[in-house]
Amino acid sequence: MPELETQTMTAAPEALIAKVKAYNPDVKAGEITAAYEYAKKMHEGQVRASGEPYYTHPLEVAQILAGMKMDTGTLITAILHDTLEDTAASYDDLKNKFGKDVADLVNGVSKLTRIESQTVEGKQAENFRKLLLAMSEDIRVLLVKLADRLHNMRTLDAIKKPEKRQRIALETLEIYVPLAERVGVHTIKTELEDLAFGVLNPEARESISNRLSFLRKEGSGVVETIINELAALLETSGIKAEITGREKTGYSIWKKMQRKNVAFEQLSDIMAFRIVVDSIEDCYTVLGLIHGRYHSIPGRFKDYISTPKPNGYRSIHTTVMGPARHRIEVQIRTHEQHSQAELGVAAHWAYKEGKVPSLKDVKKYRWLRELLEILEQEQRPEDFWENTKLELFQDHVFAFSPKGDLIELPSGATPVDFAYAIHSDIGDKCVGAKINGSIAPLNTKLSNGDQVEIITSKTQNPSPTWERFVVTGKARSHIRKFIRAQQRDEYATLGRAMLQKIFRQEHYDFTEKAVTGVLKQFQLEENDDLYARIGSGLTPARDVFKAIFPAHKTEMVKRPSRDMDQAVMVKPLDGRDAPVPIKGLIPGMAVHFARCCHPLPGDRIVGIVITGKGVSIHTIDCDTLETFADTPERWLDVSWGEGPDSPEAHVGRIHVIIQNEPGALGTLSTVIGANGGNITNLKLTNRSVDFWEILMDIYVNDTRHLNHIIAALRATPSVTSVDRARGGS
Ligand code: MN
């Protein structure tokens, strides 16, 4: 039976060991075989959806990781990755047989697998990715999980129900592809993307690949010709280089077609060329040669060698009018940079393993920490859909509600914070909590992935002691609000006495009726409300006295309210009367939007108190904020309010490069107008024979609207590049 034979072939560890030996001659084959025997025994009798014995899956996962030249510990983890979750194996068993390092790694993968079974909807995907990262204490855990997902995607056909296949493919695209991209594992990212694309949109994938093979025949030899011409060019300077040409992947072409809303025919740079050389110096020499020979397209040159991408990616990118007027993208990098680009953090082990076989000296958490730092600073201007930044999520904890909603909280958050995050009524009425099914004290600090159920009682009220352990502003403000209401009676008594005292000092008789007469001025309903304000210090007793006896009239000074939940209306930058609601401000303070960063709804914002000038609102990533890093007391936690927000209240600024040709400017403003934007200011910053650089201010509703306009402009032929601009005045 030939079929069975093939099965035994792939399911034996020899192929894996041979593959590892190729990059690590010192591999301890016995350890790998032992892990294999153990997994085979533990998974005995289990089968995959395809009917294959289950243990073939973990072995394939290990194969994928061996392809990334991972260390032996990771490979053994891959072989054992489902034993804790799906078999009778225990952590202690693994620890005794394979050591603590492996047992911890397998345990980490199992934690992710447990979380994986929670389905999350589209907009929660970002939170979910952050949760997976936050839980991958060792980055190798995440790499095993990605390889696991890749093998499951490769074998997705075995799953009968189309809905289930689609759900898994969508989840792959929304969660695992971005994760693979962020840790820089390009090979896994590309394959996952392509597999998911094939499940979600088989027709599109089919027609693109048909079209590609047609073009390949049509322009047969174009890639070849260009490679030869580039090789001849480099030969003149004696540089040793590997030149490869490729078409972009079907999915990346599809994305570009959607993003730019253009037909396949109009996509000019489907071809990309890669030149891999020995040294960084050679990279720049090659760049010089290419720019010397061909016209470069402005706005498409990126030097990621001098300024690496946040995920560590280094390479030079440029687009030129290449041979035969083909627009081609060229990437120039060294061999080391190339392997880093293809394997991302995994490349670290590939290099490590070659020199120092032991992993003992690798600080266990260094990679994760570096990764978190990278993600924290990540900016992806090329990200079209939204310019969401990853929040400082290592300061955050993610917990599930019983319904499966994923709630993001600051680290140190307790069930009370969780309750208020769901709904203020649930917070106010909470009496207890179950964490992962067991009753826990309300001040328990939540951990990533906890499932939290809040127990409420109609008779419960917020307790002042909660204030000592809650960490969220929402919980704190609600607790205080309640305490204030409770204290109101005390304050009312005090306030009444204070007012009576002034009456006495000024020799007037105190009457309730006199106070009632001025309630309207203070926009209050009852005398007690006014007394409470006086007693709590919100309204000076003397102001009330002056209101009652205008003969003593001096100007009413309105004291600031402490109610931070109330949105304050702030005038837009250009002084028009179209105020915007902002929460978290003290009413009465002067507020303005910073000119350095042009905040738009959708941006995360912060308020900075400037002595004598009030508060200025900046985007959280504005460079100006560095100036105030040492004065945290000036920072106000503010956010966009809801409510009356006039259209065109905001000004977004973009930086555009257009070709200098008749009608180009006209087209520009037509496209902006057609997409609901209204140009308020335009400045030519640079002007050459071929190109104009322009700064434009446009009235928009929010970041989404601005991104929409940017996308439309990018699809316009005479526009070379468009970006959101920061800085300047
Ligand atoms: Mn698995």
Side-chain angles (χ1 to χ4, degrees), residues 291-339:
H291 278 183
R293 167 71 76 90
Y294 308 109
H295 284 291
S296 62
I297 314 286
R300 297 293 300 266
F301 171 71
K302 298 250 164 62
D303 183 354
Y304 295 120
I305 289 183
S306 65
T307 315
K309 276 196 191 181
N311 68 5
Y313 176 85
R314 284 171 302 160
S315 194
I316 292 172
H317 291 190
T318 186
T319 302
V320 296
M321 237 14 141
R325 312 260 325 137
H326 282 292
R327 222 170 101 138
I328 56 167
E329 187 186 304
V330 183
Q331 300 175 354
I332 309 165
R333 51 174 82 146
T334 66
H335 289 285
E336 193 191 337
Q337 288 164 355
H338 181 57
S339 102

Side-chain angles (χ1 to χ4, degrees), residues 4-53:
L4 219 120
E5 206 176 283
T6 334
Q7 220 171 66
T8 4
M9 284 281 284
T10 50
E14 284 77 27
L16 172 65
I17 291 166
K19 197 168 185 175
V20 180
K21 271 209 170 117
Y23 66 85
N24 178 13
D26 303 329
V27 61
K28 294 195 181 89
E31 288 181 11
I32 291 180
T33 312
Y36 161 77
E37 297 293 350
Y38 182 78
K40 190 175 174 185
K41 192 181 90 196
M42 297 313 286
H43 287 296
E44 177 104 65
Q46 299 177 352
V47 285
R48 305 203 75 215
S50 62
E52 279 181 295

Side-chain angles (χ1 to χ4, degrees), residues 97-110:
K97 288 192 168 66
F98 305 102
K100 186 175 184 304
D101 196 29
V102 165
D104 284 341
L105 288 171
V106 176
N107 197 26
V109 177
S110 304

